[in-house]
Amino acid sequence: MASADVVQGLQELENSSAPQQDRPAGYKKLLEQVLSSATTSPDFSASLGAIIDSILGDNLGIVAARPLLSTAVDSIRAIPSLDTKIQAGTTALRSLEPRIVSFEEQDAQLREMLADAYQSQEEYIEAAKVLQGIQLESSQRRVADDHKVDIWMRICRLYLEEDDTTSAESYLNRAKNLRHQISKPEVTLAFQLSEARILDARRRFLDASQAYHSFSFSAVLDEEERTRALSSAIVCAVLAPAGPQRARALAKLYKDERAPQVAEFGMLEKMFLDRLLTPEEVSRFSENLQPHQLAKTADGSTVLAKAVIEHNLLSVSRLYDNIGIDELAALLGLDADKAEGYAARMLEQGRIAGSIDQIDRLIVFDGLEPIAEGGTSGQRKVVAGKGLRKWDSRVQGVAEELERVASMIQHQYPVQYCLAQT
């Protein structure tokens, strides 16, 4: 219940015979009185609600009420205690709700202020829910596209803080429709990072790796942020399903001159060069992964374990012309049935080329190169035998290493050219 002083003051204002234009000063004085005792008065919330209800009543017109409510929002924003600020803001929102159509601007100000307070307390879901109530499509006021995108991207980031990618993606899609009309670089960066994080959480690792890598080239970010984005790009590329598409992603990252600076470079290098990974290396790599990157798949293995098994199987196909199923199982650390199942799946999807002889329990890798992931075993092209394929691969490797060394020399010892004077 409101305090006796507030009740008496409201009665005087409501029953006063003074002109209506003089009443705002009385309401403003009452607001200042109540808000000054926000942290000490037990009746603060009820008193504030009673004042706002009276302002929204028939005593004042809409024109006079709007600046008073804006003043109330500014006063609530100035309250130092977050808990009291949230209490006051919630009370004001509750009073505004029946007449929100006439006071959309003040409602939006209150919600943004409340979201700031919730975010400061790391209550990200509550902050997102408060912002969702802002009327962005209304006939009562015009909201600029910039502001719409700012609100939607803020809601998206708040949901991502709690790993709610479904809700975050819905608001990212809303912002996507207006993205190309926005010139703010910080909004573009927020969009790119949010998109990458959502793709990462959805386990679309190849797309996420590309998004993180593009984000890492932004000149607006500082060096630490760019390095972190590059690290995330490498992690996602490592976790992606083995095959031609991932090979292209690994090559692109391996050629990035910044790659040796990140901790994940060792894993990137071994995967790019088709070397077998040991359990110790995989264990060290997994220490820095996010929880969703360690989640279990339908067959009970983790995302990382599945990616490593497929990579090692692809590496085996580069090293051997044929291998027994039992020997392959020993190399992969699996039982024979699971090893055969992984090999059969990758053969069927066109990610490795060869055949399985179940009678002799032998896997034969042939000289056929898969054209793309998701194809069948018949969608391949002949490259004139495995020997020529290995030769091409080695020539490519030497050329890439030579280019890498030349770039390092040029970076270490830059040469300046000048025109000879005649």
Side-chain angles (χ1 to χ4, degrees):
M1 184 176 178
S3 66
D5 293 342
V6 170
V7 172
Q8 183 180 353
L10 289 175
Q11 287 176 349
E12 291 175 358
L13 287 171
E14 292 170 358
N15 299 327
S16 174
S17 58
Q20 190 179 47
Q21 59 268 27
D22 295 337
R23 293 182 181 179
Y27 280 109
K28 188 174 182 180
K29 183 178 179 181
L30 271 180
L31 276 172
E32 292 174 352
Q33 175 185 334
V34 170
L35 291 171
S36 64
S37 61
T39 57
T40 57
S41 174
D43 304 322
F44 163 70
S45 181
S47 298
L48 178 63
I51 294 173
I52 294 177
D53 287 340
S54 180
I55 291 173
L56 296 174
D58 298 330
N59 302 298
L60 292 174
I62 293 176
V63 175
R66 283 174 177 168
L68 273 177
L69 289 174
S70 296
T71 301
V73 173
D74 293 338
S75 300
I76 294 172
R77 186 181 286 111
I79 296 175
S81 170
L82 290 176
D83 290 333
T84 306
K85 185 183 297 185
I86 290 173
Q87 180 186 5
T90 304
T91 299
L93 276 182
R94 193 162 46 242
S95 298
L96 271 176
E97 188 174 359
R99 299 193 61 184
I100 190 174
V101 175
S102 302
F103 301 97
E104 288 182 355
E105 183 65 35
Q106 289 70 31
D107 178 77
Q109 293 173 2
L110 267 174
R111 290 182 180 277
E112 290 186 42
M113 181 272 298
L114 264 180
D116 291 339
Y118 279 125
Q119 192 170 347
S120 298
Q121 291 188 331
E122 298 185 357
E123 297 182 31
Y124 301 114
I125 297 295
E126 292 300 323
K129 288 180 178 179
V130 167
L131 290 174
Q132 283 176 321
I134 296 177
Q135 302 293 324
L136 296 176
E137 304 291 344
S138 170
S139 59
Q140 301 297 317
R141 66 179 187 130
R142 184 183 180 278
V143 182
D145 289 343
D146 286 14
H147 190 59
K148 289 181 184 178
V149 174
D150 286 343
I151 295 296
W152 288 333
M153 289 308 305
R154 184 178 179 186
I155 295 173
C156 175
R157 294 196 301 271
L158 288 169
Y159 276 121
L160 283 176
E161 290 293 333
E162 295 291 338
D163 293 327
D164 186 351
T165 55
T166 302
S167 300
E169 188 173 19
S170 67
Y171 283 92
L172 183 73
N173 290 335
R174 295 187 190 187
K176 187 180 296 184
N177 297 328
L178 297 176
R179 177 190 174 190
H180 300 292
Q181 301 178 24
I182 305 303
S183 57
K184 294 181 181 178
E186 60 271 18
V187 176
T188 302
L189 287 176
F191 184 91
Q192 290 176 343
L193 180 58
S194 298
E195 186 176 38
R197 290 181 63 183
I198 289 172
L199 291 171
D200 186 358
R202 291 292 181 89
R203 301 183 190 175
R204 293 171 55 185
F205 292 119
L206 276 176
D207 294 332
S209 176
Q210 183 179 359
Y212 278 127
H213 197 209
S214 299
F215 184 75
S216 72
F217 287 109
S218 175
V220 180
L221 300 174
D222 58 30
E223 188 64 28
E224 183 180 356
E225 289 294 329
R226 290 199 294 268
T227 302
R228 187 179 297 117
L230 178 62
S231 175
S232 298
I234 293 174
V235 168
C236 289
V238 168
L239 295 174
Q245 291 185 20
R246 191 191 69 161
R248 288 191 289 271
L250 291 174
K252 187 176 180 180
L253 290 166
Y254 186 72
K255 294 175 184 177
D256 193 317
E257 61 183 12
R258 304 168 298 166
Q261 302 173 9
V262 301
E264 294 80 8
F265 179 72
M267 180 71 80
L268 170 66
E269 185 175 39
K270 296 201 74 170
M271 283 200 159
F272 173 71
L273 298 176
D274 289 330
R275 296 173 182 169
L276 291 171
L277 298 171
T278 64
E280 292 76 16
E281 292 170 326
V282 176
S283 177
R284 287 197 300 271
F285 179 76
S286 66
E287 291 175 356
N288 297 323
L289 295 185
Q290 300 295 323
H292 71 271
Q293 295 170 337
L294 294 171
K296 292 188 179 296
T297 58
D299 60 2
S301 62
T302 63
V303 175
L304 175 61
K306 186 175 181 179
V308 169
I309 291 170
E310 291 182 349
H311 165 77
N312 283 345
L313 183 51
L314 186 62
S315 299
V316 168
S317 74
R318 307 291 192 194
L319 294 171
Y320 295 91
D321 289 328
N322 56 72
I323 188 172
I325 292 177
D326 295 325
E327 288 75 13
L328 176 65
L331 281 174
L332 299 180
L334 303 171
D335 59 56
D337 290 340
K338 282 190 175 181
E340 183 180 358
Y342 272 99
R345 189 180 307 112
M346 293 183 70
L347 286 167
E348 180 185 4
Q349 295 173 350
R351 290 191 279 159
I352 58 175
S355 59
I356 299 177
D357 186 340
Q358 292 184 318
I359 296 176
D360 293 334
R361 297 185 59 76
L362 191 69
I363 300 177
V364 179
F365 304 108
D366 57 31
L368 300 175
E369 187 73 18
I371 59 174
E373 293 182 32
T376 64
S377 58
Q379 295 174 318
R380 305 164 186 158
K381 61 180 180 179
V382 178
V383 293
K386 195 163 191 175
L388 184 56
R389 180 162 64 90
K390 288 183 177 179
W391 173 262
D392 289 343
S393 177
R394 289 168 183 167
V395 170
Q396 179 185 356
V398 170
E400 289 172 349
E401 285 297 321
L402 183 59
E403 180 185 2
R404 185 181 184 83
V405 171
S407 298
M408 293 173 65
I409 292 174
Q410 186 177 7
H411 179 73
Q412 186 71 24
Y413 304 102
V415 178
Q416 297 181 351
Y417 297 93
C418 61
L419 294 174
Q421 296 181 354
T422 59

